mmCIF file of all heavy atoms in Angstrom:
data_model
loop_
_atom_site.group_PDB
_atom_site.id
_atom_site.type_symbol
_atom_site.label_atom_id
_atom_site.label_comp_id
_atom_site.label_asym_id
_atom_site.label_seq_id
_atom_site.Cartn_x
_atom_site.Cartn_y
_atom_site.Cartn_z
ATOM 1 N N THR A 246 -36.814 30.271 -7.906
ATOM 2 C CA THR A 246 -36.243 31.596 -7.620
ATOM 3 C C THR A 246 -36.580 32.508 -8.808
ATOM 4 O O THR A 246 -36.244 32.180 -9.959
ATOM 5 C CB THR A 246 -34.706 31.515 -7.427
ATOM 6 O OG1 THR A 246 -34.455 30.703 -6.257
ATOM 7 C CG2 THR A 246 -34.127 32.875 -7.206
ATOM 8 N N TYR A 247 -37.265 33.566 -8.528
ATOM 9 C CA TYR A 247 -37.653 34.554 -9.592
ATOM 10 C C TYR A 247 -36.446 35.515 -9.715
ATOM 11 O O TYR A 247 -35.875 35.956 -8.743
ATOM 12 C CB TYR A 247 -38.868 35.352 -9.208
ATOM 13 C CG TYR A 247 -40.149 34.558 -9.104
ATOM 14 C CD1 TYR A 247 -41.280 35.138 -8.553
ATOM 15 C CD2 TYR A 247 -40.296 33.259 -9.545
ATOM 16 C CE1 TYR A 247 -42.482 34.480 -8.447
ATOM 17 C CE2 TYR A 247 -41.472 32.574 -9.424
ATOM 18 C CZ TYR A 247 -42.589 33.182 -8.898
ATOM 19 O OH TYR A 247 -43.768 32.519 -8.801
ATOM 20 N N VAL A 248 -36.174 35.897 -10.923
ATOM 21 C CA VAL A 248 -35.203 36.924 -11.235
ATOM 22 C C VAL A 248 -35.893 37.901 -12.209
ATOM 23 O O VAL A 248 -36.275 37.504 -13.298
ATOM 24 C CB VAL A 248 -33.896 36.367 -11.869
ATOM 25 C CG1 VAL A 248 -32.944 37.500 -12.213
ATOM 26 C CG2 VAL A 248 -33.259 35.361 -10.948
ATOM 27 N N CYS A 249 -36.100 39.139 -11.756
ATOM 28 C CA CYS A 249 -36.826 40.056 -12.613
ATOM 29 C C CYS A 249 -36.264 41.486 -12.409
ATOM 30 O O CYS A 249 -35.726 41.823 -11.379
ATOM 31 C CB CYS A 249 -38.315 40.053 -12.341
ATOM 32 S SG CYS A 249 -38.774 40.593 -10.697
ATOM 33 N N MET A 250 -36.386 42.247 -13.453
ATOM 34 C CA MET A 250 -35.839 43.594 -13.529
ATOM 35 C C MET A 250 -36.922 44.671 -13.312
ATOM 36 O O MET A 250 -38.006 44.516 -13.863
ATOM 37 C CB MET A 250 -35.190 43.862 -14.873
ATOM 38 C CG MET A 250 -34.425 45.158 -14.913
ATOM 39 S SD MET A 250 -34.594 46.129 -16.427
ATOM 40 C CE MET A 250 -36.312 46.352 -16.720
ATOM 41 N N TRP A 251 -36.610 45.637 -12.494
ATOM 42 C CA TRP A 251 -37.498 46.788 -12.325
ATOM 43 C C TRP A 251 -36.692 48.083 -12.415
ATOM 44 O O TRP A 251 -35.556 48.128 -11.962
ATOM 45 C CB TRP A 251 -38.134 46.802 -10.901
ATOM 46 C CG TRP A 251 -38.997 45.647 -10.581
ATOM 47 C CD1 TRP A 251 -39.732 44.868 -11.447
ATOM 48 C CD2 TRP A 251 -39.224 45.067 -9.296
ATOM 49 N NE1 TRP A 251 -40.368 43.883 -10.791
ATOM 50 C CE2 TRP A 251 -40.085 43.971 -9.449
ATOM 51 C CE3 TRP A 251 -38.747 45.398 -8.045
ATOM 52 C CZ2 TRP A 251 -40.547 43.218 -8.390
ATOM 53 C CZ3 TRP A 251 -39.229 44.633 -6.966
ATOM 54 C CH2 TRP A 251 -40.064 43.574 -7.129
ATOM 55 N N SER A 252 -37.334 49.114 -13.009
ATOM 56 C CA SER A 252 -36.677 50.412 -12.926
ATOM 57 C C SER A 252 -37.746 51.511 -12.967
ATOM 58 O O SER A 252 -37.473 52.628 -13.248
ATOM 59 C CB SER A 252 -35.689 50.630 -14.068
ATOM 60 O OG SER A 252 -36.333 50.726 -15.314
ATOM 61 N N HIS A 253 -38.984 51.102 -12.619
ATOM 62 C CA HIS A 253 -40.073 52.106 -12.646
ATOM 63 C C HIS A 253 -39.941 53.140 -11.568
ATOM 64 O O HIS A 253 -39.616 52.839 -10.427
ATOM 65 C CB HIS A 253 -41.433 51.446 -12.439
ATOM 66 C CG HIS A 253 -41.938 50.801 -13.687
ATOM 67 N ND1 HIS A 253 -42.040 49.464 -13.883
ATOM 68 C CD2 HIS A 253 -42.363 51.393 -14.877
ATOM 69 C CE1 HIS A 253 -42.516 49.203 -15.058
ATOM 70 N NE2 HIS A 253 -42.714 50.322 -15.695
ATOM 71 N N GLY A 254 -40.172 54.403 -11.973
ATOM 72 C CA GLY A 254 -40.325 55.480 -11.018
ATOM 73 C C GLY A 254 -41.794 55.917 -11.143
ATOM 74 O O GLY A 254 -42.576 55.274 -11.844
ATOM 75 N N ARG A 255 -42.141 57.026 -10.548
ATOM 76 C CA ARG A 255 -43.534 57.484 -10.635
ATOM 77 C C ARG A 255 -43.924 57.818 -12.064
ATOM 78 O O ARG A 255 -44.969 57.366 -12.549
ATOM 79 C CB ARG A 255 -43.717 58.720 -9.748
ATOM 80 C CG ARG A 255 -45.127 59.246 -9.783
ATOM 81 C CD ARG A 255 -45.409 60.328 -8.760
ATOM 82 N NE ARG A 255 -45.368 59.889 -7.357
ATOM 83 C CZ ARG A 255 -46.259 59.134 -6.740
ATOM 84 N NH1 ARG A 255 -47.297 58.699 -7.432
ATOM 85 N NH2 ARG A 255 -46.149 58.807 -5.495
ATOM 86 N N ASP A 256 -43.091 58.585 -12.770
ATOM 87 C CA ASP A 256 -43.439 58.991 -14.127
ATOM 88 C C ASP A 256 -42.484 58.540 -15.215
ATOM 89 O O ASP A 256 -42.719 58.772 -16.373
ATOM 90 C CB ASP A 256 -43.566 60.559 -14.160
ATOM 91 C CG ASP A 256 -44.625 61.063 -13.224
ATOM 92 O OD1 ASP A 256 -45.720 60.456 -13.166
ATOM 93 O OD2 ASP A 256 -44.362 62.080 -12.527
ATOM 94 N N ALA A 257 -41.376 57.999 -14.821
ATOM 95 C CA ALA A 257 -40.335 57.606 -15.780
ATOM 96 C C ALA A 257 -39.456 56.538 -15.197
ATOM 97 O O ALA A 257 -39.574 56.214 -13.975
ATOM 98 C CB ALA A 257 -39.476 58.812 -16.135
ATOM 99 N N ARG A 258 -38.608 55.970 -16.015
ATOM 100 C CA ARG A 258 -37.657 54.994 -15.489
ATOM 101 C C ARG A 258 -36.806 55.634 -14.422
ATOM 102 O O ARG A 258 -36.491 56.790 -14.487
ATOM 103 C CB ARG A 258 -36.759 54.489 -16.639
ATOM 104 C CG ARG A 258 -37.476 53.653 -17.619
ATOM 105 C CD ARG A 258 -36.462 53.243 -18.683
ATOM 106 N NE ARG A 258 -37.095 52.414 -19.703
ATOM 107 C CZ ARG A 258 -36.390 51.828 -20.690
ATOM 108 N NH1 ARG A 258 -35.089 52.023 -20.809
ATOM 109 N NH2 ARG A 258 -37.034 51.119 -21.599
ATOM 110 N N LYS A 259 -36.399 54.776 -13.490
ATOM 111 C CA LYS A 259 -35.588 55.282 -12.390
ATOM 112 C C LYS A 259 -34.255 54.470 -12.410
ATOM 113 O O LYS A 259 -33.756 54.253 -13.535
ATOM 114 C CB LYS A 259 -36.315 54.985 -11.050
ATOM 115 C CG LYS A 259 -36.027 55.946 -9.992
ATOM 116 C CD LYS A 259 -36.984 55.721 -8.821
ATOM 117 C CE LYS A 259 -36.536 56.457 -7.662
ATOM 118 N NZ LYS A 259 -37.436 56.247 -6.500
ATOM 119 N N HIS A 260 -33.751 53.997 -11.350
ATOM 120 C CA HIS A 260 -32.526 53.221 -11.301
ATOM 121 C C HIS A 260 -32.826 51.699 -11.507
ATOM 122 O O HIS A 260 -33.828 51.234 -11.020
ATOM 123 C CB HIS A 260 -31.815 53.417 -9.953
ATOM 124 C CG HIS A 260 -30.499 52.760 -9.828
ATOM 125 N ND1 HIS A 260 -29.398 53.193 -10.577
ATOM 126 C CD2 HIS A 260 -30.080 51.702 -9.123
ATOM 127 C CE1 HIS A 260 -28.381 52.406 -10.244
ATOM 128 N NE2 HIS A 260 -28.738 51.508 -9.373
ATOM 129 N N LEU A 261 -31.980 51.043 -12.267
ATOM 130 C CA LEU A 261 -32.165 49.620 -12.532
ATOM 131 C C LEU A 261 -31.977 48.764 -11.255
ATOM 132 O O LEU A 261 -31.003 48.937 -10.527
ATOM 133 C CB LEU A 261 -31.121 49.181 -13.573
ATOM 134 C CG LEU A 261 -31.119 47.700 -13.958
ATOM 135 C CD1 LEU A 261 -32.404 47.337 -14.696
ATOM 136 C CD2 LEU A 261 -29.908 47.429 -14.834
ATOM 137 N N HIS A 262 -32.946 47.908 -10.986
ATOM 138 C CA HIS A 262 -32.863 46.964 -9.863
ATOM 139 C C HIS A 262 -33.300 45.606 -10.405
ATOM 140 O O HIS A 262 -34.273 45.490 -11.151
ATOM 141 C CB HIS A 262 -33.857 47.309 -8.747
ATOM 142 C CG HIS A 262 -33.521 48.578 -8.080
ATOM 143 N ND1 HIS A 262 -34.022 49.799 -8.516
ATOM 144 C CD2 HIS A 262 -32.733 48.861 -7.005
ATOM 145 C CE1 HIS A 262 -33.564 50.738 -7.709
ATOM 146 N NE2 HIS A 262 -32.772 50.190 -6.777
ATOM 147 N N ILE A 263 -32.548 44.549 -10.055
ATOM 148 C CA ILE A 263 -32.925 43.199 -10.430
ATOM 149 C C ILE A 263 -33.166 42.438 -9.133
ATOM 150 O O ILE A 263 -32.280 42.278 -8.293
ATOM 151 C CB ILE A 263 -31.835 42.557 -11.273
ATOM 152 C CG1 ILE A 263 -31.601 43.391 -12.534
ATOM 153 C CG2 ILE A 263 -32.206 41.098 -11.632
ATOM 154 C CD1 ILE A 263 -30.358 42.989 -13.353
ATOM 155 N N ALA A 264 -34.385 42.003 -8.958
ATOM 156 C CA ALA A 264 -34.762 41.247 -7.756
ATOM 157 C C ALA A 264 -34.512 39.774 -7.955
ATOM 158 O O ALA A 264 -34.873 39.185 -9.005
ATOM 159 C CB ALA A 264 -36.257 41.462 -7.464
ATOM 160 N N VAL A 265 -33.891 39.135 -6.991
ATOM 161 C CA VAL A 265 -33.643 37.723 -6.961
ATOM 162 C C VAL A 265 -34.433 37.207 -5.744
ATOM 163 O O VAL A 265 -34.029 37.385 -4.594
ATOM 164 C CB VAL A 265 -32.117 37.374 -6.821
ATOM 165 C CG1 VAL A 265 -31.918 35.880 -6.851
ATOM 166 C CG2 VAL A 265 -31.364 38.036 -8.012
ATOM 167 N N GLN A 266 -35.590 36.632 -6.056
ATOM 168 C CA GLN A 266 -36.618 36.373 -5.034
ATOM 169 C C GLN A 266 -36.929 34.893 -4.899
ATOM 170 O O GLN A 266 -37.440 34.278 -5.856
ATOM 171 C CB GLN A 266 -37.889 37.154 -5.368
ATOM 172 C CG GLN A 266 -39.027 36.909 -4.437
ATOM 173 C CD GLN A 266 -40.309 37.611 -4.913
ATOM 174 O OE1 GLN A 266 -40.432 37.928 -6.078
ATOM 175 N NE2 GLN A 266 -41.189 37.873 -3.967
ATOM 176 N N PRO A 267 -36.638 34.330 -3.717
ATOM 177 C CA PRO A 267 -37.036 32.922 -3.500
ATOM 178 C C PRO A 267 -38.523 32.761 -3.316
ATOM 179 O O PRO A 267 -39.141 33.650 -2.656
ATOM 180 C CB PRO A 267 -36.277 32.536 -2.247
ATOM 181 C CG PRO A 267 -36.161 33.829 -1.469
ATOM 182 C CD PRO A 267 -36.057 34.878 -2.534
ATOM 183 N N VAL A 268 -39.110 31.800 -3.894
ATOM 184 C CA VAL A 268 -40.525 31.521 -3.719
ATOM 185 C C VAL A 268 -40.676 30.134 -3.097
ATOM 186 O O VAL A 268 -40.350 29.119 -3.732
ATOM 187 C CB VAL A 268 -41.306 31.603 -5.042
ATOM 188 C CG1 VAL A 268 -42.797 31.293 -4.854
ATOM 189 C CG2 VAL A 268 -41.136 33.023 -5.624
ATOM 190 N N THR A 269 -41.144 30.149 -1.870
ATOM 191 C CA THR A 269 -41.316 28.877 -1.156
ATOM 192 C C THR A 269 -42.843 28.544 -1.072
ATOM 193 O O THR A 269 -43.666 29.384 -1.344
ATOM 194 C CB THR A 269 -40.798 28.982 0.285
ATOM 195 O OG1 THR A 269 -41.535 30.037 0.962
ATOM 196 C CG2 THR A 269 -39.306 29.364 0.318
ATOM 197 N N ALA A 270 -43.112 27.294 -0.687
ATOM 198 C CA ALA A 270 -44.506 26.912 -0.531
ATOM 199 C C ALA A 270 -45.189 27.763 0.516
ATOM 200 O O ALA A 270 -46.352 28.133 0.415
ATOM 201 C CB ALA A 270 -44.566 25.428 -0.147
ATOM 202 N N GLU A 271 -44.427 28.154 1.576
ATOM 203 C CA GLU A 271 -44.981 29.004 2.636
ATOM 204 C C GLU A 271 -45.377 30.361 2.091
ATOM 205 O O GLU A 271 -46.434 30.885 2.418
ATOM 206 C CB GLU A 271 -43.953 29.161 3.753
ATOM 207 C CG GLU A 271 -44.404 30.081 4.839
ATOM 208 C CD GLU A 271 -43.298 30.366 5.870
ATOM 209 O OE1 GLU A 271 -42.350 29.587 5.969
ATOM 210 O OE2 GLU A 271 -43.434 31.345 6.569
ATOM 211 N N VAL A 272 -44.548 30.992 1.258
ATOM 212 C CA VAL A 272 -44.865 32.292 0.666
ATOM 213 C C VAL A 272 -46.085 32.165 -0.208
ATOM 214 O O VAL A 272 -46.989 33.009 -0.142
ATOM 215 C CB VAL A 272 -43.659 32.863 -0.139
ATOM 216 C CG1 VAL A 272 -44.051 34.069 -0.970
ATOM 217 C CG2 VAL A 272 -42.516 33.185 0.837
ATOM 218 N N ARG A 273 -46.134 31.131 -1.047
ATOM 219 C CA ARG A 273 -47.305 30.985 -1.946
ATOM 220 C C ARG A 273 -48.576 30.747 -1.104
ATOM 221 O O ARG A 273 -49.630 31.310 -1.374
ATOM 222 C CB ARG A 273 -47.066 29.836 -2.927
ATOM 223 C CG ARG A 273 -46.117 30.224 -4.021
ATOM 224 C CD ARG A 273 -46.020 29.221 -5.193
ATOM 225 N NE ARG A 273 -46.169 27.802 -4.805
ATOM 226 C CZ ARG A 273 -47.298 27.111 -4.894
ATOM 227 N NH1 ARG A 273 -48.419 27.687 -5.297
ATOM 228 N NH2 ARG A 273 -47.324 25.854 -4.581
ATOM 229 N N ALA A 274 -48.485 29.912 -0.058
ATOM 230 C CA ALA A 274 -49.670 29.591 0.743
ATOM 231 C C ALA A 274 -50.188 30.877 1.457
ATOM 232 O O ALA A 274 -51.378 31.132 1.538
ATOM 233 C CB ALA A 274 -49.358 28.538 1.772
ATOM 234 N N ARG A 275 -49.230 31.721 1.932
ATOM 235 C CA ARG A 275 -49.602 32.932 2.634
ATOM 236 C C ARG A 275 -50.308 33.920 1.682
ATOM 237 O O ARG A 275 -51.043 34.812 2.164
ATOM 238 C CB ARG A 275 -48.340 33.563 3.254
ATOM 239 C CG ARG A 275 -48.595 34.569 4.270
ATOM 240 C CD ARG A 275 -47.350 34.996 5.092
ATOM 241 N NE ARG A 275 -46.260 35.433 4.221
ATOM 242 C CZ ARG A 275 -45.031 34.842 4.231
ATOM 243 N NH1 ARG A 275 -44.801 33.833 4.978
ATOM 244 N NH2 ARG A 275 -44.084 35.304 3.478
ATOM 245 N N HIS A 276 -50.108 33.759 0.406
ATOM 246 C CA HIS A 276 -50.688 34.650 -0.568
ATOM 247 C C HIS A 276 -51.608 33.930 -1.535
ATOM 248 O O HIS A 276 -51.663 34.210 -2.714
ATOM 249 C CB HIS A 276 -49.568 35.413 -1.337
ATOM 250 C CG HIS A 276 -48.755 36.274 -0.453
ATOM 251 N ND1 HIS A 276 -47.634 35.830 0.205
ATOM 252 C CD2 HIS A 276 -48.959 37.544 -0.025
ATOM 253 C CE1 HIS A 276 -47.150 36.797 0.961
ATOM 254 N NE2 HIS A 276 -47.921 37.823 0.849
ATOM 255 N N GLY A 277 -52.369 33.010 -0.986
ATOM 256 C CA GLY A 277 -53.447 32.359 -1.739
ATOM 257 C C GLY A 277 -53.022 31.479 -2.910
ATOM 258 O O GLY A 277 -53.792 31.254 -3.806
ATOM 259 N N GLY A 278 -51.806 30.985 -2.866
ATOM 260 C CA GLY A 278 -51.338 30.061 -3.902
ATOM 261 C C GLY A 278 -50.910 30.773 -5.195
ATOM 262 O O GLY A 278 -50.652 30.085 -6.192
ATOM 263 N N LEU A 279 -50.850 32.071 -5.191
ATOM 264 C CA LEU A 279 -50.480 32.798 -6.395
ATOM 265 C C LEU A 279 -49.088 32.467 -6.818
ATOM 266 O O LEU A 279 -48.219 32.078 -6.025
ATOM 267 C CB LEU A 279 -50.601 34.310 -6.136
ATOM 268 C CG LEU A 279 -52.012 34.832 -5.921
ATOM 269 C CD1 LEU A 279 -51.977 36.328 -5.540
ATOM 270 C CD2 LEU A 279 -52.896 34.613 -7.127
ATOM 271 N N ARG A 280 -48.806 32.757 -8.103
ATOM 272 C CA ARG A 280 -47.449 32.547 -8.699
ATOM 273 C C ARG A 280 -47.119 33.754 -9.579
ATOM 274 O O ARG A 280 -47.970 34.586 -9.889
ATOM 275 C CB ARG A 280 -47.434 31.289 -9.560
ATOM 276 C CG ARG A 280 -47.500 29.990 -8.828
ATOM 277 C CD ARG A 280 -47.454 28.820 -9.832
ATOM 278 N NE ARG A 280 -47.111 27.583 -9.200
ATOM 279 C CZ ARG A 280 -47.949 26.816 -8.542
ATOM 280 N NH1 ARG A 280 -49.187 27.216 -8.296
ATOM 281 N NH2 ARG A 280 -47.527 25.668 -7.999
ATOM 282 N N SER A 281 -45.872 33.838 -9.971
ATOM 283 C CA SER A 281 -45.359 34.788 -10.921
ATOM 284 C C SER A 281 -45.667 36.197 -10.524
ATOM 285 O O SER A 281 -45.581 36.546 -9.380
ATOM 286 C CB SER A 281 -45.883 34.453 -12.328
ATOM 287 O OG SER A 281 -45.542 33.156 -12.681
ATOM 288 N N GLU A 282 -45.989 37.008 -11.533
ATOM 289 C CA GLU A 282 -46.160 38.449 -11.274
ATOM 290 C C GLU A 282 -47.334 38.723 -10.341
ATOM 291 O O GLU A 282 -47.350 39.707 -9.585
ATOM 292 C CB GLU A 282 -46.338 39.246 -12.574
ATOM 293 C CG GLU A 282 -47.586 38.958 -13.344
ATOM 294 C CD GLU A 282 -47.491 37.706 -14.226
ATOM 295 O OE1 GLU A 282 -46.475 37.066 -14.288
ATOM 296 O OE2 GLU A 282 -48.562 37.381 -14.819
ATOM 297 N N GLN A 283 -48.318 37.846 -10.295
ATOM 298 C CA GLN A 283 -49.466 38.053 -9.378
ATOM 299 C C GLN A 283 -48.958 37.871 -7.938
ATOM 300 O O GLN A 283 -49.364 38.627 -7.064
ATOM 301 C CB GLN A 283 -50.562 37.038 -9.666
ATOM 302 C CG GLN A 283 -51.238 37.334 -11.009
ATOM 303 C CD GLN A 283 -52.222 36.258 -11.364
ATOM 304 O OE1 GLN A 283 -52.200 35.146 -10.841
ATOM 305 N NE2 GLN A 283 -53.166 36.570 -12.275
ATOM 306 N N LEU A 284 -48.118 36.913 -7.714
ATOM 307 C CA LEU A 284 -47.520 36.706 -6.364
ATOM 308 C C LEU A 284 -46.712 37.913 -5.959
ATOM 309 O O LEU A 284 -46.813 38.472 -4.862
ATOM 310 C CB LEU A 284 -46.722 35.464 -6.273
ATOM 311 C CG LEU A 284 -45.972 35.190 -5.006
ATOM 312 C CD1 LEU A 284 -46.904 35.084 -3.851
ATOM 313 C CD2 LEU A 284 -45.088 33.993 -5.123
ATOM 314 N N GLN A 285 -45.822 38.380 -6.878
ATOM 315 C CA GLN A 285 -44.985 39.496 -6.576
ATOM 316 C C GLN A 285 -45.804 40.750 -6.263
ATOM 317 O O GLN A 285 -45.525 41.493 -5.301
ATOM 318 C CB GLN A 285 -44.022 39.805 -7.703
ATOM 319 C CG GLN A 285 -42.950 38.767 -7.814
ATOM 320 C CD GLN A 285 -41.945 39.066 -8.942
ATOM 321 O OE1 GLN A 285 -42.378 39.360 -10.064
ATOM 322 N NE2 GLN A 285 -40.681 38.996 -8.623
ATOM 323 N N ALA A 286 -46.867 40.991 -7.017
ATOM 324 C CA ALA A 286 -47.737 42.129 -6.758
ATOM 325 C C ALA A 286 -48.380 42.065 -5.416
ATOM 326 O O ALA A 286 -48.436 43.033 -4.683
ATOM 327 C CB ALA A 286 -48.748 42.270 -7.896
ATOM 328 N N ARG A 287 -48.864 40.887 -5.062
ATOM 329 C CA ARG A 287 -49.530 40.687 -3.751
ATOM 330 C C ARG A 287 -48.536 40.874 -2.592
ATOM 331 O O ARG A 287 -48.805 41.542 -1.605
ATOM 332 C CB ARG A 287 -50.136 39.293 -3.700
ATOM 333 C CG ARG A 287 -50.840 38.968 -2.400
ATOM 334 C CD ARG A 287 -52.139 39.677 -2.106
ATOM 335 N NE ARG A 287 -53.146 39.490 -3.198
ATOM 336 C CZ ARG A 287 -53.980 38.442 -3.290
ATOM 337 N NH1 ARG A 287 -53.970 37.486 -2.404
ATOM 338 N NH2 ARG A 287 -54.809 38.427 -4.281
ATOM 339 N N VAL A 288 -47.325 40.344 -2.742
ATOM 340 C CA VAL A 288 -46.320 40.463 -1.693
ATOM 341 C C VAL A 288 -45.992 41.954 -1.498
ATOM 342 O O VAL A 288 -45.940 42.442 -0.361
ATOM 343 C CB VAL A 288 -45.071 39.675 -2.051
ATOM 344 C CG1 VAL A 288 -43.900 40.066 -1.117
ATOM 345 C CG2 VAL A 288 -45.308 38.178 -1.957
ATOM 346 N N LEU A 289 -45.814 42.685 -2.586
ATOM 347 C CA LEU A 289 -45.555 44.104 -2.460
ATOM 348 C C LEU A 289 -46.713 44.893 -1.892
ATOM 349 O O LEU A 289 -46.506 45.802 -1.080
ATOM 350 C CB LEU A 289 -45.116 44.722 -3.842
ATOM 351 C CG LEU A 289 -43.778 44.334 -4.365
ATOM 352 C CD1 LEU A 289 -43.622 44.701 -5.822
ATOM 353 C CD2 LEU A 289 -42.691 44.916 -3.505
ATOM 354 N N ALA A 290 -47.921 44.573 -2.317
ATOM 355 C CA ALA A 290 -49.117 45.284 -1.851
ATOM 356 C C ALA A 290 -49.339 45.049 -0.362
ATOM 357 O O ALA A 290 -49.850 45.933 0.322
ATOM 358 C CB ALA A 290 -50.342 44.847 -2.662
ATOM 359 N N ASP A 291 -48.997 43.852 0.118
ATOM 360 C CA ASP A 291 -49.205 43.581 1.520
ATOM 361 C C ASP A 291 -48.361 44.484 2.444
ATOM 362 O O ASP A 291 -48.801 44.769 3.563
ATOM 363 C CB ASP A 291 -48.874 42.117 1.838
ATOM 364 C CG ASP A 291 -49.956 41.151 1.365
ATOM 365 O OD1 ASP A 291 -51.033 41.664 0.952
ATOM 366 O OD2 ASP A 291 -49.743 39.915 1.451
#
């Protein structure tokens, strides 16, 4: 389970959000076996 903080806006910090994200074998397989921030970026980009 990933726990990470985000508060990015377009040009400055925005509101604080902390994502609690489960990572299963199915999620990793669907995104080419990626892990960590690369996996999160791919999931968001999709």
Side-chain angles (χ1 to χ4, degrees):
T246 298
Y247 295 168
V248 177
C249 64
M250 187 221 54
W251 298 331
S252 69
H253 279 111
R255 180 171 295 287
D256 298 319
R258 291 179 180 184
K259 211 172 169 180
H260 184 70
L261 178 67
H262 294 90
I263 301 170
V265 181
Q266 178 185 22
V268 177
T269 62
E271 177 187 339
V272 168
R273 286 191 325 97
R275 196 168 54 239
H276 296 92
L279 294 174
R280 288 181 162 78
S281 302
E282 67 279 355
Q283 293 173 339
L284 174 61
Q285 288 182 312
R287 179 72 56 84
V288 168
L289 286 170
D291 284 352

